[in-house]
């Protein structure tokens, strides 16, 4: 009988023992995944978005000031360009670095914005701004290396630095400086192990923005640290208020051989779901970045790339109208927050976030996030989601209607 399959044995045969039931967590322990996976962080805004969605689905009236995306539709002429591209048969792979017409269009855009000449060969089109960040950090991060990042800052910086095995070195951004970075403080944190420094202006989550004098000072100091590369996240470059102008790191020719500039379409053109971003890379790294693209996503969605050309080359009035609307809401939310007991909010200069100090309410940031969502139906993000220095703060996105912002402020005022 040996060797016969179990089903052909007699009825007296004992059945095989039942497989022990496993939870997904047990299963993870049984599989030998890479240790680095345990160091990967996340972006709480997506968790809050999911929870807010579940509460809405259960019939609750939720006001979402959590996720950072424009509440406007993508302008029509951009959508039409994508539809046309599909109808014209742009269904296949494109060159990994992006279609040449789009890379040239980005170069022309940068020339218009900043009066700089960038070779289109240094521009890599990627599926969203995040991908430039992912590539840049993985290119420099490994055990023994140090990477500077802003805290509070976009959570993916810390997450990917830790994932790479490098040591994340926080650069605290302080309320008393309007959350702008202090160039001397940044320079004092550079060591011979520093490989990369991440800058973000205008900033998520604080709305802070640096002016040219600060950038000048930083760039001067960087001359003494030629081994340090810079990742400048300029995804909110078009969202500045009160007549402020963006200072792009691209305008410093002395950095050209070590600057990676990150920007994209998501915020400026209300295209977060299209997944369209670009990076400007130093000559020496652009080939490696393209290789990472070939190894991961191959190329960006072809129709989206055609839409990207229409966005840059077409009328800019819809993008400007969005910024004007954000500016108006910024005043409403900052005034409203400053009127709440125990809360004070510095004026954000850019992006579409307010980052009030809530220490006077007696609640910590996580408790406040949960209380706002579960009890008041207002989604906001705990400052601790953006780093240790975010304790005592909450992030509100004002990419929502004025009416909803006012309703949220009323709910909080009544409850406090
Ligand atoms: N950089 C910052 C500072 C951001 O806030 C975001 C998105 O919220 C990104 C990059 C990523 O943008 P994208 O959606 O284009 O990947």
């Amino acid at each position: 009988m040996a060797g016969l399959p179990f089903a052909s044995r007699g009825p007296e045969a004992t059945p095989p023992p039942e497989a022990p039931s496993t939870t997904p967590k047990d299963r993870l322990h049984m599989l030998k995944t890479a240790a680095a996976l345990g160091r990967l962080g996340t972006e709480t805004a997506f968790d809050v978005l999911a929870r807010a969605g579940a509460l809405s689905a259960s019939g609750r009236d939720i006001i979402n000031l959590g996720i950072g995306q424009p509440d406007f539709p993508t302008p029509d002429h951009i959508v039409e360009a994508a539809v046309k591209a599909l109808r014209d048969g742009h269904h296949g792979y494109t060159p990994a670095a992006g279609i040449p017409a789009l890379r040239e269009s980005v170069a022309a855009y940068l020339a218009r914005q900043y009066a700089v000449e960038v070779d289109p060969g240094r521009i890599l089109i990627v599926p969203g701004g995040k991908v430039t960040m992912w590539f840049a950090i993985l290119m420099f991060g490994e055990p023994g290396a140090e990477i500077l990042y802003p805290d509070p800052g976009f959570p993916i910086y810390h997450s990917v630095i830790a994932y790479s095995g490098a040591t994340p070195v926080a650069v605290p951004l302080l309320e008393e400086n309007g959350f702008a970075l202090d160039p001397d403080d940044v320079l004092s944190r550079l060591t011979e192990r520093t490989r990369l420094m991440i800058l973000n202006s205008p900033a998520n989550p604080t709305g802070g923005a640096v002016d040219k004098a600060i950038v000048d000072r930083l760039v001067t100091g960087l001359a003494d640290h030629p081994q340090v590369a810079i990742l400048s996240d300029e995804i909110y470059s078009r969202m500045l208020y009160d007549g402020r102008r963006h200072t792009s790191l691209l305008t410093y020719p002395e950095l050209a051989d070590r600057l990676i500039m990150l920007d994209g379409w998501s915020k400026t053109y209300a295209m977060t779901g299209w997944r369209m971003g670009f990076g400007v890379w130093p000559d020496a790294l652009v080939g490696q970045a393209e290789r990472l693209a070939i190894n991961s996503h191959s190329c960006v969605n072809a129709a989206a790339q055609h839409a990207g050309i229409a966005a840059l080359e077409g009328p800019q009035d819809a993008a400007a109208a969005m910024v004007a609307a954000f500016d108006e809401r910024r005043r409403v939310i900052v005034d409203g927050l400053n009127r709440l007991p125990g809360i004070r909010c510095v004026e954000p200069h850019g992006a579409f976030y307010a980052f009030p100090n809530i220490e006077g309410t007696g609640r910590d940031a996580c408790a406040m996030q949960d209380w706002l969502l579960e009890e008041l139906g207002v989604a906001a993000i705990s400052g601790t989601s953006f780093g240790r220095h975010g304790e005592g703060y909450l992030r509100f996105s004002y990419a929502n209607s004025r009416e909803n912002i006012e309703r949220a402020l009323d709910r909080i005022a009544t409850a406090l």
Side-chain angles (χ1 to χ4, degrees), residues 128-130 133 154 157 200 204 233 235-236 266-267 275:
K130 259 181 186 167
M133 189 184 301
F154 189 53
Y157 306 143
N200 172 218
N204 177 6
D233 182 342
I235 196 105
Y236 296 102
S266 298
K267 317 284 176 177
R275 310 313 300 137

Side-chain angles (χ1 to χ4, degrees), residues 174-215:
L174 306 177
E175 184 183 349
E176 57 258 39
N177 297 338
F179 297 110
L181 62 82
D182 169 350
D184 294 309
D185 177 56
V186 177
L187 293 166
S188 73
R189 290 171 199 273
L190 297 173
T191 72
E192 74 278 7
R193 290 180 300 281
T194 311
R195 300 233 186 126
L196 180 69
M197 156 197 293
I198 304 176
L199 305 172
N200 172 218
S201 178
N204 177 6
T206 62
V210 290
D211 42 53
K212 188 168 180 317
I214 291 182
V215 186

Side-chain angles (χ1 to χ4, degrees), residues 201-251:
S201 178
N204 177 6
T206 62
V210 290
D211 42 53
K212 188 168 180 317
I214 291 182
V215 186
D216 284 350
R217 167 77 195 106
L218 187 67
V219 173
T220 305
L222 279 170
D224 297 332
H225 305 273
Q227 86 288 2
V228 176
I230 299 113
L231 168 62
S232 181
D233 182 342
E234 304 185 16
I235 196 105
Y236 296 102
S237 60
R238 297 272 291 274
M239 287 167 186
L240 274 165
Y241 308 108
D242 300 327
R244 286 190 164 71
R245 286 194 58 80
H246 177 60
T247 304
S248 174
L249 273 276
L250 277 181
T251 56

